[in-house]
Short mmCIF file of all heavy atoms in Angstrom, two decimals:
data_model
loop_
_atom_site.label_atom_id
_atom_site.label_comp_id
_atom_site.label_asym_id
_atom_site.label_seq_id
_atom_site.Cartn_x
_atom_site.Cartn_y
_atom_site.Cartn_z
N VAL A 146 -4.48 19.91 9.13
CA VAL A 146 -3.20 20.40 8.48
C VAL A 146 -2.13 20.60 9.51
O VAL A 146 -2.29 20.99 10.66
CB VAL A 146 -3.57 21.83 7.90
CG1 VAL A 146 -2.24 22.49 7.31
CG2 VAL A 146 -4.69 21.68 6.84
N LEU A 147 -1.00 19.92 9.26
CA LEU A 147 0.22 19.98 10.07
C LEU A 147 1.28 20.98 9.60
O LEU A 147 1.40 21.01 8.32
CB LEU A 147 0.64 18.67 10.32
CG LEU A 147 -0.30 17.72 11.07
CD1 LEU A 147 0.48 16.49 11.41
CD2 LEU A 147 -0.90 18.27 12.26
N PRO A 148 1.98 21.52 10.50
CA PRO A 148 3.21 22.21 10.03
C PRO A 148 4.19 21.23 9.69
O PRO A 148 4.47 20.25 10.48
CB PRO A 148 3.67 23.14 11.22
CG PRO A 148 2.96 22.60 12.39
CD PRO A 148 1.76 21.61 11.96
N ALA A 149 4.98 21.45 8.53
CA ALA A 149 6.16 20.54 8.32
C ALA A 149 7.27 21.03 9.06
O ALA A 149 7.36 22.30 9.28
CB ALA A 149 6.41 20.49 6.78
N PRO A 150 8.13 20.28 9.56
CA PRO A 150 9.21 20.67 10.48
C PRO A 150 10.21 21.61 9.65
O PRO A 150 10.60 21.26 8.59
CB PRO A 150 9.98 19.41 10.86
CG PRO A 150 9.51 18.32 9.93
CD PRO A 150 8.10 18.78 9.43
N ASP A 151 10.63 22.74 10.36
CA ASP A 151 11.52 23.57 9.72
C ASP A 151 12.99 22.87 9.46
O ASP A 151 13.71 23.26 8.52
CB ASP A 151 11.72 24.79 10.53
CG ASP A 151 10.47 25.59 10.70
OD1 ASP A 151 10.27 26.39 9.90
OD2 ASP A 151 9.72 25.24 11.71
N ALA A 152 13.27 21.91 10.28
CA ALA A 152 14.58 21.16 10.06
C ALA A 152 14.45 20.24 8.93
O ALA A 152 15.51 19.75 8.48
CB ALA A 152 14.99 20.46 11.39
N SER A 153 13.20 19.96 8.35
CA SER A 153 13.33 18.98 7.22
C SER A 153 14.03 19.51 6.04
O SER A 153 13.73 20.70 5.61
CB SER A 153 11.68 18.71 6.81
OG SER A 153 11.71 18.11 5.72
N ASP A 154 14.75 18.69 5.43
CA ASP A 154 15.57 19.19 4.22
C ASP A 154 14.84 18.69 2.91
O ASP A 154 14.96 19.29 1.88
CB ASP A 154 16.92 18.76 4.25
CG ASP A 154 17.08 17.24 4.23
OD1 ASP A 154 16.08 16.51 4.68
OD2 ASP A 154 18.05 16.68 3.90
N GLN A 155 14.05 17.67 2.92
CA GLN A 155 13.49 17.16 1.70
C GLN A 155 12.08 16.50 2.07
O GLN A 155 11.79 16.00 3.15
CB GLN A 155 14.38 16.36 1.03
CG GLN A 155 14.68 15.00 1.82
CD GLN A 155 15.59 14.11 1.03
OE1 GLN A 155 15.99 14.26 -0.10
NE2 GLN A 155 15.94 12.94 1.50
N ILE A 156 11.36 16.46 0.89
CA ILE A 156 10.08 15.64 1.05
C ILE A 156 10.31 14.46 0.01
O ILE A 156 10.76 14.60 -1.00
CB ILE A 156 8.91 16.42 0.23
CG1 ILE A 156 8.77 17.78 0.90
CG2 ILE A 156 7.67 15.63 0.25
CD1 ILE A 156 8.15 18.80 -0.08
N ILE A 157 10.21 13.30 0.72
CA ILE A 157 10.22 12.02 -0.11
C ILE A 157 8.71 11.62 -0.30
O ILE A 157 7.96 11.48 0.52
CB ILE A 157 10.81 10.82 0.68
CG1 ILE A 157 12.22 11.18 1.02
CG2 ILE A 157 10.90 9.61 -0.24
CD1 ILE A 157 13.06 10.14 1.80
N ASP A 158 8.37 11.68 -1.69
CA ASP A 158 6.97 11.17 -1.97
C ASP A 158 7.12 10.12 -3.03
O ASP A 158 8.25 9.73 -3.47
CB ASP A 158 6.04 12.39 -2.29
CG ASP A 158 6.44 13.25 -3.34
OD1 ASP A 158 7.25 12.85 -4.19
OD2 ASP A 158 5.94 14.46 -3.31
N VAL A 159 5.98 9.70 -3.48
CA VAL A 159 6.07 8.44 -4.21
C VAL A 159 5.29 8.58 -5.60
O VAL A 159 4.34 9.24 -5.67
CB VAL A 159 5.33 7.24 -3.51
CG1 VAL A 159 5.50 5.91 -4.25
CG2 VAL A 159 5.89 7.15 -2.06
N SER A 160 5.97 8.08 -6.67
CA SER A 160 5.18 8.18 -7.92
C SER A 160 5.40 6.74 -8.54
O SER A 160 5.83 5.79 -7.87
CB SER A 160 5.86 9.07 -8.90
OG SER A 160 7.25 8.92 -9.14
N GLY A 161 5.05 6.48 -9.76
CA GLY A 161 5.15 5.10 -10.41
C GLY A 161 4.43 5.12 -11.68
O GLY A 161 3.88 6.04 -12.13
N ARG A 162 4.36 3.93 -12.06
CA ARG A 162 3.57 3.54 -13.44
C ARG A 162 3.27 2.16 -13.37
O ARG A 162 3.82 1.34 -12.45
CB ARG A 162 4.48 3.92 -14.52
CG ARG A 162 5.92 3.12 -14.54
CD ARG A 162 6.48 3.30 -15.86
NE ARG A 162 7.95 2.77 -15.67
CZ ARG A 162 8.25 1.46 -15.86
NH1 ARG A 162 7.33 0.53 -16.17
NH2 ARG A 162 9.52 1.18 -15.78
N TRP A 163 2.47 1.67 -14.33
CA TRP A 163 2.24 0.20 -14.51
C TRP A 163 3.60 -0.52 -14.65
O TRP A 163 4.51 0.00 -15.25
CB TRP A 163 1.32 -0.03 -15.69
CG TRP A 163 1.09 -1.37 -15.89
CD1 TRP A 163 0.31 -2.21 -15.22
CD2 TRP A 163 1.63 -2.15 -17.03
NE1 TRP A 163 0.24 -3.46 -15.87
CE2 TRP A 163 1.12 -3.50 -16.86
CE3 TRP A 163 2.32 -1.91 -18.11
CZ2 TRP A 163 1.48 -4.45 -17.86
CZ3 TRP A 163 2.65 -2.95 -19.06
CH2 TRP A 163 2.19 -4.21 -18.90
#
Side-chain angles (χ1 to χ4, degrees):
V146 177
L147 295 188
D151 294 273
S153 162
D154 61 337
Q155 63 177 359
I156 306 157
I157 303 178
D158 56 25
V159 185
S160 58
R162 60 172 169 82
W163 178 69

